[in-house]
Amino acid sequence: MANPTRPVTGRERTFPVDEIIVSKTDTTGRLTYVNDVFLTVSGYEESELMGQPHSIVRHPSTPRCLFKLMWEYIVAGKEVFIYVNNRAKNGDHYWVFAHITPNFDSSGQIIGYHSNRRVPRREVIAKLQPLYDRLRQEEDRHADSKEGLAASTKMLKDMLAQDGKRYEEFILSL
């Protein structure tokens, strides 16, 4: 889980549109590989990241229900696309458009996950921000974090059902 004691500066970092942040994790979400772009944007050293949960870069403003949904997809062997606000080591944030896929061994078993993250489209972030704020407020409204996660997950799934879209249709339509 993300470390809530790390600072949040309110400053945004960006990275060049032609660069891709790449990481790999084991099946529990612990980092096994990060590329140089990941290191530069996040501000971490490779030695600080290897073996750590990928959530080390989770920004507290990103609704937890998005990660729940992500895990539902990838443990089922499906790819997922998701817009995420991450937190650098110093507390700066950086938005990414992530494509996460499971890695399979020769017998078809999931052995880890691979994520490519690109510079997101600003107009999509502007559309998503109000939704993410509502989801996060719903999570925070509950004293019990599990209840908050369940409530925001229901809110997201109800919104998708109302729009008649699956998550992947929704996110790729933005």
Side-chain angles (χ1 to χ4, degrees), residues 45-56:
E45 298 293 326
E46 184 177 24
S47 62
E48 295 175 290
L49 294 173
M50 291 301 97
Q52 294 299 312
H54 203 295
S55 61
I56 194 170

Side-chain angles (χ1 to χ4, degrees), residues 66 69-82 97-104 110 112-116 166-169 171-172:
L66 295 177
L69 182 77
M70 176 204 71
W71 278 103
E72 288 173 5
Y73 271 79
I74 63 177
V75 299
K78 301 177 190 173
E79 69 180 346
V80 67
F81 293 89
I82 187 168
F97 181 52
H99 177 213
I100 307 155
T101 58
N103 293 329
F104 300 94
I110 296 173
Y113 304 101
H114 182 122
S115 179
N116 290 326
R166 295 184 324 267
Y167 172 78
E168 61 273 19
E169 292 173 319
I171 208 71
L172 294 175

